[in-house]
mmCIF file of all heavy atoms in Angstrom:
data_model
loop_
_atom_site.group_PDB
_atom_site.id
_atom_site.type_symbol
_atom_site.label_atom_id
_atom_site.label_comp_id
_atom_site.label_asym_id
_atom_site.label_seq_id
_atom_site.Cartn_x
_atom_site.Cartn_y
_atom_site.Cartn_z
ATOM 1 N N LEU S 91 9.199 3.877 14.798
ATOM 2 C CA LEU S 91 10.306 4.071 13.882
ATOM 3 C C LEU S 91 10.071 5.202 12.862
ATOM 4 O O LEU S 91 11.016 5.784 12.342
ATOM 5 C CB LEU S 91 10.628 2.777 13.132
ATOM 6 C CG LEU S 91 11.336 1.714 14.021
ATOM 7 C CD1 LEU S 91 11.311 0.341 13.358
ATOM 8 C CD2 LEU S 91 12.757 2.137 14.343
ATOM 9 N N ASP S 92 8.808 5.516 12.604
ATOM 10 C CA ASP S 92 8.500 6.673 11.741
ATOM 11 C C ASP S 92 9.078 7.969 12.318
ATOM 12 O O ASP S 92 9.496 8.864 11.582
ATOM 13 C CB ASP S 92 6.974 6.876 11.598
ATOM 14 C CG ASP S 92 6.355 5.862 10.655
ATOM 15 O OD1 ASP S 92 7.089 5.144 9.959
ATOM 16 O OD2 ASP S 92 5.112 5.735 10.682
ATOM 17 N N THR S 93 9.127 8.055 13.642
ATOM 18 C CA THR S 93 9.654 9.250 14.289
ATOM 19 C C THR S 93 11.033 9.079 14.877
ATOM 20 O O THR S 93 11.670 10.048 15.309
ATOM 21 C CB THR S 93 8.662 9.755 15.419
ATOM 22 O OG1 THR S 93 8.519 8.695 16.354
ATOM 23 C CG2 THR S 93 7.332 10.166 14.823
ATOM 24 N N HIS S 94 11.502 7.839 14.931
ATOM 25 C CA HIS S 94 12.832 7.524 15.481
ATOM 26 C C HIS S 94 13.591 6.550 14.575
ATOM 27 O O HIS S 94 13.913 5.443 15.004
ATOM 28 C CB HIS S 94 12.690 6.950 16.901
ATOM 29 C CG HIS S 94 12.025 7.851 17.859
ATOM 30 N ND1 HIS S 94 10.645 7.939 17.966
ATOM 31 C CD2 HIS S 94 12.543 8.679 18.775
ATOM 32 C CE1 HIS S 94 10.342 8.810 18.898
ATOM 33 N NE2 HIS S 94 11.461 9.269 19.411
ATOM 34 N N PRO S 95 13.799 6.903 13.315
ATOM 35 C CA PRO S 95 14.352 5.940 12.353
ATOM 36 C C PRO S 95 15.779 5.482 12.691
ATOM 37 O O PRO S 95 16.256 4.486 12.142
ATOM 38 C CB PRO S 95 14.338 6.707 11.041
ATOM 39 C CG PRO S 95 14.312 8.137 11.406
ATOM 40 C CD PRO S 95 13.576 8.220 12.715
ATOM 41 N N ASN S 96 16.498 6.212 13.547
ATOM 42 C CA ASN S 96 17.864 5.843 13.859
ATOM 43 C C ASN S 96 18.008 5.039 15.135
ATOM 44 O O ASN S 96 19.130 4.822 15.599
ATOM 45 C CB ASN S 96 18.727 7.103 13.928
ATOM 46 C CG ASN S 96 18.757 7.830 12.618
ATOM 47 O OD1 ASN S 96 18.834 7.211 11.565
ATOM 48 N ND2 ASN S 96 18.685 9.149 12.647
ATOM 49 N N ASP S 97 16.884 4.634 15.732
ATOM 50 C CA ASP S 97 16.927 3.826 16.949
ATOM 51 C C ASP S 97 17.224 2.367 16.553
ATOM 52 O O ASP S 97 16.333 1.598 16.206
ATOM 53 C CB ASP S 97 15.607 3.959 17.680
ATOM 54 C CG ASP S 97 15.637 3.240 19.046
ATOM 55 O OD1 ASP S 97 16.433 2.330 19.260
ATOM 56 O OD2 ASP S 97 14.793 3.610 19.902
ATOM 57 N N GLY S 98 18.502 1.992 16.590
ATOM 58 C CA GLY S 98 18.929 0.669 16.165
ATOM 59 C C GLY S 98 18.312 -0.465 16.965
ATOM 60 O O GLY S 98 17.960 -1.518 16.417
ATOM 61 N N GLU S 99 18.129 -0.249 18.262
ATOM 62 C CA GLU S 99 17.524 -1.305 19.108
ATOM 63 C C GLU S 99 16.077 -1.518 18.709
ATOM 64 O O GLU S 99 15.630 -2.677 18.616
ATOM 65 C CB GLU S 99 17.599 -0.855 20.568
ATOM 66 C CG GLU S 99 17.046 -1.878 21.546
ATOM 67 C CD GLU S 99 17.036 -1.369 22.986
ATOM 68 O OE1 GLU S 99 17.715 -0.381 23.290
ATOM 69 O OE2 GLU S 99 16.342 -1.999 23.812
ATOM 70 N N ALA S 100 15.363 -0.444 18.436
ATOM 71 C CA ALA S 100 13.955 -0.570 18.002
ATOM 72 C C ALA S 100 13.872 -1.265 16.640
ATOM 73 O O ALA S 100 12.989 -2.100 16.427
ATOM 74 C CB ALA S 100 13.265 0.766 17.959
ATOM 75 N N LEU S 101 14.755 -0.916 15.731
ATOM 76 C CA LEU S 101 14.755 -1.536 14.401
ATOM 77 C C LEU S 101 15.032 -3.023 14.514
ATOM 78 O O LEU S 101 14.392 -3.832 13.838
ATOM 79 C CB LEU S 101 15.762 -0.838 13.486
ATOM 80 C CG LEU S 101 15.816 -1.365 12.071
ATOM 81 C CD1 LEU S 101 14.488 -1.253 11.366
ATOM 82 C CD2 LEU S 101 16.917 -0.625 11.296
ATOM 83 N N GLU S 102 15.981 -3.385 15.381
ATOM 84 C CA GLU S 102 16.297 -4.795 15.580
ATOM 85 C C GLU S 102 15.099 -5.539 16.130
ATOM 86 O O GLU S 102 14.749 -6.664 15.683
ATOM 87 C CB GLU S 102 17.472 -4.920 16.518
ATOM 88 C CG GLU S 102 18.011 -6.319 16.678
ATOM 89 C CD GLU S 102 19.230 -6.326 17.605
ATOM 90 O OE1 GLU S 102 20.144 -5.499 17.456
ATOM 91 O OE2 GLU S 102 19.278 -7.239 18.448
ATOM 92 N N LEU S 103 14.407 -4.940 17.080
ATOM 93 C CA LEU S 103 13.208 -5.558 17.656
ATOM 94 C C LEU S 103 12.089 -5.671 16.609
ATOM 95 O O LEU S 103 11.439 -6.693 16.504
ATOM 96 C CB LEU S 103 12.722 -4.743 18.861
ATOM 97 C CG LEU S 103 11.562 -5.301 19.672
ATOM 98 C CD1 LEU S 103 11.932 -6.677 20.260
ATOM 99 C CD2 LEU S 103 11.226 -4.337 20.803
ATOM 100 N N PHE S 104 11.920 -4.590 15.818
ATOM 101 C CA PHE S 104 10.911 -4.614 14.740
ATOM 102 C C PHE S 104 11.163 -5.771 13.789
ATOM 103 O O PHE S 104 10.253 -6.534 13.480
ATOM 104 C CB PHE S 104 11.020 -3.255 14.012
ATOM 105 C CG PHE S 104 10.123 -3.100 12.831
ATOM 106 C CD1 PHE S 104 8.786 -2.860 12.992
ATOM 107 C CD2 PHE S 104 10.625 -3.128 11.546
ATOM 108 C CE1 PHE S 104 7.926 -2.680 11.881
ATOM 109 C CE2 PHE S 104 9.808 -2.972 10.433
ATOM 110 C CZ PHE S 104 8.476 -2.736 10.601
ATOM 111 N N ASN S 105 12.423 -5.922 13.347
ATOM 112 C CA ASN S 105 12.764 -7.007 12.445
ATOM 113 C C ASN S 105 12.557 -8.387 13.079
ATOM 114 O O ASN S 105 12.123 -9.311 12.397
ATOM 115 C CB ASN S 105 14.200 -6.870 11.956
ATOM 116 C CG ASN S 105 14.323 -5.706 10.953
ATOM 117 O OD1 ASN S 105 13.405 -5.374 10.224
ATOM 118 N ND2 ASN S 105 15.477 -5.029 10.962
ATOM 119 N N SER S 106 12.888 -8.508 14.367
ATOM 120 C CA SER S 106 12.694 -9.809 15.014
ATOM 121 C C SER S 106 11.204 -10.131 15.133
ATOM 122 O O SER S 106 10.793 -11.316 14.963
ATOM 123 C CB SER S 106 13.365 -9.848 16.387
ATOM 124 O OG SER S 106 12.690 -9.056 17.316
ATOM 125 N N TYR S 107 10.343 -9.106 15.394
ATOM 126 C CA TYR S 107 8.909 -9.336 15.440
ATOM 127 C C TYR S 107 8.370 -9.794 14.075
ATOM 128 O O TYR S 107 7.492 -10.641 13.997
ATOM 129 C CB TYR S 107 8.180 -8.092 15.903
ATOM 130 C CG TYR S 107 8.234 -7.782 17.376
ATOM 131 C CD1 TYR S 107 7.889 -6.528 17.843
ATOM 132 C CD2 TYR S 107 8.635 -8.724 18.317
ATOM 133 C CE1 TYR S 107 7.908 -6.233 19.199
ATOM 134 C CE2 TYR S 107 8.659 -8.442 19.654
ATOM 135 C CZ TYR S 107 8.315 -7.199 20.126
ATOM 136 O OH TYR S 107 8.328 -6.898 21.451
ATOM 137 N N ILE S 108 8.865 -9.162 13.025
ATOM 138 C CA ILE S 108 8.419 -9.551 11.678
ATOM 139 C C ILE S 108 8.756 -11.012 11.408
ATOM 140 O O ILE S 108 7.936 -11.778 10.909
ATOM 141 C CB ILE S 108 9.029 -8.628 10.608
ATOM 142 C CG1 ILE S 108 8.361 -7.250 10.710
ATOM 143 C CG2 ILE S 108 8.844 -9.215 9.213
ATOM 144 C CD1 ILE S 108 8.954 -6.205 9.814
ATOM 145 N N LYS S 109 9.975 -11.401 11.736
ATOM 146 C CA LYS S 109 10.404 -12.767 11.517
ATOM 147 C C LYS S 109 9.566 -13.758 12.320
ATOM 148 O O LYS S 109 9.082 -14.774 11.806
ATOM 149 C CB LYS S 109 11.887 -12.932 11.865
ATOM 150 C CG LYS S 109 12.423 -14.307 11.564
ATOM 151 C CD LYS S 109 13.907 -14.390 11.851
ATOM 152 C CE LYS S 109 14.394 -15.813 11.563
ATOM 153 N NZ LYS S 109 15.760 -16.011 11.899
ATOM 154 N N LEU S 110 9.350 -13.440 13.599
ATOM 155 C CA LEU S 110 8.493 -14.270 14.439
ATOM 156 C C LEU S 110 7.080 -14.390 13.906
ATOM 157 O O LEU S 110 6.489 -15.478 13.899
ATOM 158 C CB LEU S 110 8.465 -13.773 15.865
ATOM 159 C CG LEU S 110 9.729 -13.998 16.700
ATOM 160 C CD1 LEU S 110 9.632 -13.185 18.013
ATOM 161 C CD2 LEU S 110 9.932 -15.462 16.992
#
Side-chain angles (χ1 to χ4, degrees):
L91 286 166
D92 286 346
T93 58
H94 300 82
N96 298 320
D97 186 337
E99 182 184 345
L101 182 59
E102 187 177 316
L103 187 59
F104 177 76
N105 288 329
S106 72
Y107 283 165
I108 288 174
K109 184 177 179 185
L110 286 170

